[in-house]
Amino acid sequence: MTFILNQHHSIANHMLRELRDRAMQRDPMRFRHNVERLGSILAYEISKSLSYHEEVVETPLGQTSVFVINQQPLLITVLRAGLPFFHGFQYVFDQADSGFIGAWREEGSGDIRINLNYVATPSVEGREVIIIDPMLATGKSFLKSLMALEKYGKPSFIHVAALVAAPEGIRHVEDNIKHPFKIWTCALDEGLNEHAYIVPGLGDAGDLCYGEKL
């Protein structure tokens, strides 16, 4: 199952338009800010699917009841492009534990190869986990990240959170993931080009946030 944010009319589509606009991409601070804001909006949407319980709250004038979250999810982000998106999730899940994965695509190697050399995370055992990565292109980096988390326990549920996704990446995840899961994305684009980049996409999110890497 996939939730696609831009299928619903909301202010989020204004932020997506700015992210895709080549002229506006010249302002990295604005780009990062829009990524963060979309992270918060998508986190809010995910929050609706979590489990809650009722608690009584004492106010200055009486009592009221409110439904509060049973346990905040574990946030796992893929460095470096995922950091602004992750910060948006932190604004919503402000008591959540966090983990970090260093994974990147090896360019110019023919087949798509994903290098992963850094994992720092709390236990994922029995937790609802949100894996935060701006681009769900081929789906290979997500699955490799999930494999790297297996030695830290078995999550109860996986939420895949992406700014932009390609149908090929969604199919690859659906065909290969072994855990209960749901994909959440701000936009589902047309597909991948011959270089396995999302079209129309928005470019390299990491470079647009922090500058081109060598």
Side-chain angles (χ1 to χ4, degrees):
M1 183 184 300
T2 302
F3 172 87
I4 304 169
L5 182 63
N6 72 345
Q7 288 184 347
H8 310 272
H9 291 170
S10 77
I11 194 65
N13 290 336
H14 179 84
M15 300 168 198
L16 277 168
R17 180 185 69 82
E18 290 193 357
L19 284 180
R20 295 187 193 269
D21 190 314
R22 294 181 68 180
M24 291 188 177
Q25 287 180 349
R26 298 191 187 106
D27 183 347
M29 185 174 71
R30 188 182 188 93
F31 188 89
R32 290 193 302 270
H33 184 53
N34 279 324
V35 172
E36 289 179 6
R37 292 198 293 171
L38 284 167
S40 292
I41 292 172
L42 201 59
Y44 168 73
E45 295 293 342
I46 293 174
S47 76
K48 298 176 185 179
S49 72
L50 304 178
S51 299
Y52 291 78
H53 66 278
E54 190 174 13
E55 289 188 359
V56 175
V57 178
E58 294 282 348
T59 80
L61 300 176
Q63 290 184 336
T64 189
S65 61
V66 61
F67 284 89
V68 296
I69 196 169
N70 288 341
Q71 184 183 34
Q72 295 220 359
L74 173 60
L75 307 179
I76 304 286
T77 192
V78 178
L79 302 172
R80 67 179 169 148
L83 283 174
F85 202 33
F86 163 75
H87 291 155
F89 277 80
Q90 281 190 308
Y91 294 144
V92 175
F93 298 115
D94 59 346
Q95 301 297 315
D97 294 334
S98 301
F100 302 88
I101 293 176
W104 72 96
R105 180 191 296 195
E106 184 177 322
E107 303 289 352
S109 58
D111 292 338
I112 302 299
R113 293 184 181 178
I114 304 301
N115 287 317
L116 192 154
N117 69 346
Y118 178 79
V119 179
T121 181
S123 171
V124 304
E125 183 65 34
R127 302 287 300 273
E128 288 206 45
V129 176
I130 305 177
I131 299 184
I132 300 161
D133 194 353
M135 313 302 283
L136 179 58
T138 65
K140 291 184 178 181
S141 62
F142 164 75
L143 288 171
K144 191 154 188 177
S145 297
L146 189 55
M147 288 176 61
L149 291 174
E150 288 180 351
K151 68 178 181 179
Y152 299 95
K154 183 178 180 180
S156 62
F157 197 90
I158 297 287
H159 300 273
V160 183
L163 263 179
V164 180
E168 296 92 330
I170 288 177
R171 285 195 297 270
H172 188 66
V173 170
E174 291 174 339
D175 291 344
N176 292 281
I177 193 169
K178 299 176 182 178
H179 302 277
F181 77 99
K182 183 172 180 177
I183 297 171
W184 306 77
T185 185
C186 296
L188 178 61
D189 278 9
E190 296 169 11
L192 302 178
N193 64 13
E194 66 275 15
H195 303 293
Y197 295 127
I198 300 174
V199 176
L202 49 81
D204 188 305
D207 286 358
L208 289 166
C209 285
Y210 301 114
E212 291 187 18
K213 55 188 176 294
L214 296 178

